[in-house]
Amino acid sequence: MQGLIAEGDDIVKEQKNSTALDAGIIAACQKVEHYEIASYGTLCAWAEVMGHDEALKLLRQTEEEEVSADETLTEVAENVANQRAQSE
Ligand SMILES: [Fe+2]
């Protein structure tokens, strides 16, 4: 996760005066979301195997929130940021 955050910082520094800044930030954020989705997916599998039904319910809910955040970022990228980035 620290590496993903460092990568995001680099994108901001490199693109700070570019129309591609928002697209770069979204890309960096989506990498974090995918990391979280993978992590919660694994935790869900482990909770299921161990029979921790209450934990599984909460972990699935959080995983779904991460998927939703990723989908929202995709919408913003496809509808706004990527087109703005291409305009430069
Ligand atoms: Fe997230």
Side-chain angles (χ1 to χ4, degrees), residues 4-79:
L4 294 175
I5 292 169
E7 187 178 309
D9 284 343
D10 289 345
I11 289 170
V12 170
K13 287 175 192 158
E14 292 167 8
Q15 302 294 328
K16 70 177 179 184
N17 296 318
S18 166
T19 57
L21 176 60
D22 288 344
I25 291 171
I26 290 169
C29 289
Q30 285 193 284
K31 287 185 180 185
V32 171
E33 297 303 342
H34 288 213
Y35 180 93
E36 292 172 323
I37 291 165
S39 298
Y40 283 111
T42 298
L43 293 172
C44 285
W46 290 348
E48 188 170 6
V49 165
M50 291 188 277
H52 295 304
D53 296 337
E54 184 67 20
L56 176 59
K57 184 178 167 187
L58 294 170
L59 290 164
R60 279 211 203 288
Q61 182 180 344
T62 303
E63 182 186 30
E64 288 167 9
E65 290 169 2
E66 302 301 346
V67 169
S68 177
D70 182 54
E71 290 171 350
T72 298
L73 288 165
T74 295
E75 284 180 32
V76 174
E78 290 180 349
N79 294 322

